[in-house]
Amino acid sequence: MNVETTLSSETPVTGAGDIAKADPGKYEGRRACVIGSGFGGMALAIRLQSAGIATTVVEARDKPGGRAYFWEKDGFTFDAGPTVVTDPDCLKELWALSGHDMAEDVELMKVMPFYRLNWPDGTNFDYSNDENELNAEIAKLNPADVAGYQRFLEYSAECYEKGYLELGHKPFLDFKSMLKAAPALMKKQAWRSVYSMVSSFVENEKLREGLSFHTLLVGGDPMKTSAIYTLIHKLEKDGGVWWTRGGTNRLIAGMVRHFERLGGTMRVGDPVVQVHTMGTRASEVEAASGWRERFDAVASNADIMHSYKDLLSDSPRGQKYAKSLARKRYSPSLFVVHFGLDGTWPGIAHHMILFGPRYKGLLQDIYDHGVLPQDFSIYLHHPTVTDPSMAPKGKSTFYALVPVAHQGKLAVDWDEVGPILEKRILDEIGRRLIPDIHERIVTKFHYAPSDFSTDLNAHLGSAFSLEPVLTQSAYFRGHNRDDVINNFYLVGAGTHPGAGIPGVVGSAKATAGLMLEDLAVKPA
C-alpha cells in the first residue's frame, strides 16, 4: 500500500555548519528525489529539505529504514540492521541545521562496556573508553601490551583526523583529488591491513583480534582492509557507543518525523522501477504503482548495482557502469538469527563478540574460499540489558549474526541450509552462555543472504555493498555524483566513504554539498 505524507513546519528553516541559512530564493522551485530511506537517504533528504529544496523520499518497503528495518513479533521488537550507534554528533547535526534538537525525536542511551569479547577458552575482555578499566583488561591478557595499546591509540587518532574528519565528508570526483590525498594516506601506511597494523603495536593474539574485528561491522576483512580504518577506535573513544531507546528503528522514525516537520514528503511501499533520462540528465522517477514525477535532481540510496543495472537500465550510462560494477569485489553477506527468550540476562552484555577457534582461517573461508565453515564467530546483540522495552516484561530480545560469503561465492539453498545453521548458532550460544536456550525460546526466525537479495535488491546478497579495500575506496568507490548523468547522485554504503552509520551519514554530507551547489538558482 502506498503512503504519502507531507507535513509543513511552522518553524522557519535555518541552517548551520556547512549549509548556510536558507535563502528563500536560492532554491526556489527546486525539487529533488531521494530513492531509499536508509540512514544515508534520510540524512541526505533532511539536509536538502533544511536548505529549502522540496524533497521527496521514495521507499520500496512498507516501512522506512532500508537495512534499519524492524519486526514486531509476539511482543518482541527485532531490529534488522545496524545496532551500534557511534559519533552521535554527526546525527545531531541533522537537526541543528534547522535549529532543532535531536532529543525532540530520539533518546540515546549509553552502552557500557562497548563490547564484551569472548573466546572459546572462556576468556572475557570488556572493551570501553574508560582508560583505567581498559588498561586493566589489556594487562590481564598481556601487561606488556598496555604501552603498545597507547601507541596504537595515537596512530588511530592520526587516522581519524585524516581519514574521517578531513576526508570522510569530501567527495572524490576525479583522480586528481585522490592524488592530493595520497601522500597523507601513504604516510599512515594505508596499504597495510588493519590486522597488520594492530599487530605492530600489540603482541597478544586475542588483543590483536579484539582491536581489528571492527572492520567486519562495515563489511571489511581485517586482513585486507586498509589500516586507515583503525580510526574507528578513536571514533568510539571520543564519541562513545550508544543505543536508541526503542531500537535503531526509532532513530529512523525520528529522522522521518524531523524530515516531515520541515515539509518533506515520504512515499512508502512503492518501489522505484525506473529513473528516466534525457541525454545526460535524469528527468523523471517512476514507481511500480504508476506514480511518475519530474525532478531537478535524483539521488539513490538503493544498492549501487541495482541503481545502475535496474533503475537506469534504459540509459547507456546505466548499462555501461553496471558492467564495470560487476567486476568489483563485494563485501560478504550475513546470516542473522533473531530470537526472544523467557527470562532476563543481566550478565550478558549489550554487544558481545563470541570469537571462534580460528580467526585468519575463518576470514579466508568467508572472503576468499566462499565456503560455509563448521566454525564461526558470532556478534550477539542483547538490547534488553540496556532497554527492557524491546521485549515483554521478564523476557529478552537477542540477535546472533555471523558473516557468510556472498551469493557470488557461496551457492547454497538457504531454505535448506538456514534452519541447520540457525540451530548450530543457537547451540553455540547455549554452550557458552545460556545452557537451556532451546527450552527458553519464545519466538525465533532467521534472515539469510537470499533475503538481502530479495528485500533490499542487494547485489549478490551483500550486506555492505562494495568491499572496503584500498582499491575500492574514495575515488575508486561509487562517486557521490555520477560522471555522466550530471544530476544523478549516490548516497549510502556504495559511495564514499562507505558503510556504517557514520559512513553513510558522512556520504550524505558529501552528496548534499554537491547537490546544493548544483541546484542553486543562478542569477539572471
Side-chain angles (χ1 to χ4, degrees), residues 145-188:
D145 281 336
V146 173
Y149 172 75
Q150 292 304 316
R151 293 193 300 274
F152 166 74
L153 204 54
E154 291 170 14
Y155 173 79
S156 170
E158 292 169 0
C159 290
Y160 170 78
E161 188 74 29
K162 174 60 65 175
Y164 188 73
L165 294 182
E166 190 175 326
L167 301 177
H169 314 123
K170 174 184 175 183
F172 285 78
L173 299 178
D174 53 43
F175 191 62
K176 189 164 59 176
S177 61
M178 190 72 177
L179 289 176
K180 277 181 71 175
L185 296 176
M186 292 304 101
K187 188 177 178 183
K188 300 291 176 288

Side-chain angles (χ1 to χ4, degrees), residues 49-358:
Q49 193 69 40
S50 295
I53 296 168
T55 304
T56 298
V57 176
V58 188
E59 169 58 45
R61 302 180 80 178
D62 63 333
K63 289 182 282 208
R67 279 164 171 74
Y69 194 77
F70 73 102
W71 299 274
E72 292 173 311
K73 191 174 180 184
D74 300 323
F76 297 84
T77 302
F78 297 102
D79 274 319
T83 57
V84 181
V85 178
T86 55
D87 190 17
D89 286 350
C90 78
L91 295 164
K92 292 174 183 175
E93 186 178 286
L94 299 172
W95 274 260
L97 291 167
S98 54
H100 287 271
D101 185 344
M102 189 169 84
E104 297 173 50
D105 301 302
V106 176
E107 181 185 350
L108 292 180
M109 308 170 73
K110 273 188 177 179
V111 175
M112 287 292 275
F114 294 169
Y115 309 93
R116 175 165 297 151
L117 313 180
N118 174 271
W119 286 268
D121 65 3
T123 301
N124 280 321
F125 180 95
D126 281 359
Y127 173 73
S128 72
N129 60 354
D130 184 303
E131 196 165 337
N132 291 332
E133 289 184 10
L134 184 57
N135 285 339
E137 291 288 295
I138 294 170
K140 284 195 304 186
L141 295 178
N142 182 15
D145 281 336
V146 173
Y149 172 75
Q150 292 304 316
R151 293 193 300 274
F152 166 74
L153 204 54
E154 291 170 14
Y155 173 79
S156 170
E158 292 169 0
C159 290
Y160 170 78
E161 188 74 29
K162 174 60 65 175
Y164 188 73
L165 294 182
E166 190 175 326
L167 301 177
H169 314 123
K170 174 184 175 183
F172 285 78
L173 299 178
D174 53 43
F175 191 62
K176 189 164 59 176
S177 61
M178 190 72 177
L179 289 176
K180 277 181 71 175
L185 296 176
M186 292 304 101
K187 188 177 178 183
K188 300 291 176 288
Q189 301 181 61
W191 69 88
R192 293 182 64 176
S193 73
V194 167
Y195 181 84
S196 167
M197 188 57 74
V198 165
S199 298
S200 71
F201 291 106
V202 297
E203 299 171 353
N204 182 269
E205 177 56 28
K206 287 185 172 73
L207 192 55
R208 288 175 173 180
E209 294 174 13
L211 294 177
S212 65
F213 80 87
H214 291 79
T215 62
L216 290 163
L217 302 180
V218 294
D221 179 352
M223 302 294 170
K224 297 191 187 81
T225 303
S226 167
I228 292 296
Y229 277 79
T230 59
L231 65 84
I232 295 172
H233 293 274
K234 175 66 173 175
L235 188 74
E236 291 181 340
K237 186 176 190 300
D238 286 3
V241 169
W242 300 82
W243 170 252
T244 309
R245 186 182 294 279
T248 311
N249 66 88
R250 302 327 297 161
L251 179 51
I252 285 287
M255 295 172 83
V256 169
R257 190 179 304 117
H258 180 55
F259 172 64
E260 291 182 325
R261 176 189 294 128
L262 298 172
T265 299
M266 292 293 300
R267 187 174 185 85
V268 178
D270 197 8
V272 171
V273 294
Q274 192 69 218
V275 175
H276 295 280
T277 58
M278 294 182 65
T280 59
R281 301 280 294 174
S283 56
E284 294 177 306
V285 175
E286 182 180 356
S289 66
W291 173 86
R292 182 167 173 167
E293 283 196 24
R294 183 174 293 273
F295 293 94
D296 299 293
V298 178
S300 181
N301 183 217
D303 175 83
I304 187 171
M305 177 64 93
H306 176 61
S307 297
Y308 282 92
K309 182 172 180 285
D310 302 322
L311 303 186
L312 286 168
S313 60
D314 287 350
S315 161
R317 168 59 175 170
Q319 298 165 22
K320 183 178 180 182
Y321 193 51
K323 290 178 182 175
S324 173
L325 288 169
R327 295 191 292 270
K328 292 185 179 290
R329 289 164 52 177
Y330 287 80
S331 64
S333 191
L334 302 171
F335 184 86
V336 188
V337 183
H338 297 271
F339 57 102
L341 295 187
D342 190 22
T344 58
W345 307 90
I348 298 178
H350 189 130
H351 303 292
M352 285 194 72
I353 306 295
L354 305 179
F355 287 103
R358 299 182 302 152

Side-chain angles (χ1 to χ4, degrees), residues 27 96 103 134 200 209 251 291 333 361-362 373 380 401 415 487 505:
Y27 299 106
L134 184 57
S200 71
E209 294 174 13
L251 179 51
W291 173 86
S333 191
L362 179 62
L380 185 66
L401 173 157
D415 288 338
N487 67 335
V505 171

Side-chain angles (χ1 to χ4, degrees), residues 414-433:
W414 283 105
D415 288 338
E416 180 183 334
V417 172
I420 298 169
L421 184 54
E422 176 188 282
K423 184 178 183 304
R424 286 176 51 210
I425 290 168
L426 292 172
D427 286 347
E428 182 67 5
I429 296 169
R431 189 180 69 79
R432 290 166 72 164
L433 294 172

